[in-house]
Amino acid sequence: MGDCQSLGNCDDSRIARLYEYLDGALSVEDINDVKNHLEHCDECAQEYDLECIIRSVVKRSCSEQAPDALKSKIMTRISEIRVEIGHG
């Protein structure tokens, strides 16, 4: 019961459903199907856990802001490049 063999060989479409589940893009019936599958399939449960970690890290990273000094350097460099290519 620990692998997808007994559940119909999980493939890319099964994994895609995990992503849809995480995105909240499934019907109530499909949500229940995915939850049930995750309870019985270690392989998909591990994939689900990994995706949750990745999404958490990305979300945390996206909320961080660059320091003002870095922003200033970037804007200065963009201005320099524009002058170099004649668009300044």
Side-chain angles (χ1 to χ4, degrees):
M1 187 177 272
D3 64 44
C4 292
Q5 298 296 327
S6 63
L7 295 166
N9 290 327
C10 292
D11 55 12
D12 290 342
S13 64
R14 176 73 77 178
I15 300 303
R17 286 193 62 178
L18 287 178
Y19 299 142
E20 293 170 346
Y21 173 75
L22 286 163
D23 292 338
L26 296 176
S27 68
V28 173
E29 182 179 318
D30 288 338
I31 289 170
N32 291 332
D33 289 344
V34 171
K35 282 183 181 180
N36 183 52
H37 181 76
L38 289 172
E39 289 175 9
H40 298 95
C41 179
D42 292 339
E43 184 179 335
C44 287
Q46 288 176 1
E47 182 71 25
Y48 170 81
D49 290 342
L50 177 62
E51 184 64 21
C52 286
I53 291 168
I54 291 169
R55 287 173 183 234
S56 175
V57 169
V58 169
K59 183 178 180 180
R60 189 172 52 239
S61 296
C62 290
S63 67
E64 296 175 9
Q65 293 190 4
D68 289 336
L70 177 60
K71 290 178 191 178
S72 180
K73 279 182 166 180
I74 291 169
M75 293 308 293
T76 298
R77 186 64 186 132
I78 289 171
S79 295
E80 292 171 354
I81 292 170
R82 283 185 173 166
V83 168
E84 289 172 10
I85 60 173
H87 288 57

